[in-house]
Amino acid sequence: MNNNVKKYEAVDTLGRTSVELVVKVYDGAIASLKQAAGAYQKGQTKEGYDSIEKAKKFVVHLYTTLDEDKGQDIARRLSQLYAYVIEKLNIVQATKDLSLIDDSITVLSNVREGWDQLAGQIKHTTAKTENEPHQEKPVRGVSFSI
């Protein structure tokens, strides 16, 4: 069964843009945080801790794939935001403070929404360009590094 899940995950990522993959990483972090909150509420400390670790891996991935040369100020601000979230998650593991999980979910959800909107804009622009083969309309000022 685990092999089937891996095959599904591989197929699920094929054909996605780099921005859509970033959204998927945010989804993973947010889902892990929700699992952690649920586990801590039920008194399942180990499961909560493990879910926080998983969420941190997602955030660390986002952090380490930033390209500050291309992203400039936005990448630096995201870097600070990710460091903030990781710090809060470390505190959660020590204190089991569910409000910090909620705060982290809110922060990540807000940034995720921006990435999701960008993905939609890119998809819309790409679809428009594909339907008009004689008119090239590049997306300007957008650069991604995943």
Side-chain angles (χ1 to χ4, degrees):
M1 171 129 169
N2 191 19
N3 196 24
N4 290 336
V5 171
K6 287 183 181 182
K7 286 180 184 178
Y8 171 78
E9 289 173 346
V11 169
D12 188 42
T13 58
L14 293 174
R16 290 185 185 250
T17 66
S18 58
V19 177
E20 290 172 327
L21 292 174
V22 169
V23 171
K24 190 172 177 173
V25 175
Y26 277 99
D27 289 343
I30 293 165
S32 295
L33 290 174
K34 288 178 180 179
Q35 288 174 346
Y40 283 133
Q41 286 172 341
K42 295 176 187 172
Q44 299 170 337
T45 304
K46 174 155 178 22
E47 291 81 359
Y49 182 92
D50 291 345
S51 292
I52 293 291
E53 282 297 309
K54 188 174 179 181
K56 285 195 302 188
K57 287 179 184 179
F58 284 114
V59 177
V60 166
H61 177 75
L62 291 165
Y63 180 79
T64 59
T65 56
L66 287 172
D67 186 338
E68 288 192 16
D69 291 335
K70 291 181 183 177
Q72 299 177 0
D73 189 47
I74 292 173
R76 281 187 285 282
R77 288 175 190 241
L78 285 172
S79 173
Q80 292 169 345
L81 183 75
Y82 298 148
Y84 169 82
V85 170
I86 291 167
E87 177 185 345
K88 294 303 171 195
L89 297 181
N90 287 334
I91 294 170
V92 168
Q93 289 177 310
T95 65
K96 291 149 196 74
D97 183 345
L98 297 180
S99 69
L100 294 178
I101 293 176
D102 291 339
D103 292 347
S104 297
I105 290 171
T106 299
V107 167
L108 293 174
S109 294
N110 288 338
V111 180
R112 181 218 177 270
E113 184 178 321
W115 281 101
D116 192 43
Q117 289 174 0
L118 182 59
Q121 290 173 357
I122 291 171
K123 190 174 262 186
H124 177 73
T125 301
T126 302
K128 212 174 188 184
T129 303
E130 288 173 358
N131 291 334
E132 300 172 6
H134 299 296
Q135 297 177 355
E136 292 185 25
K137 295 181 182 179
V139 178
R140 295 193 177 140
V142 179
S143 176
F144 305 101
S145 176
I146 302 294

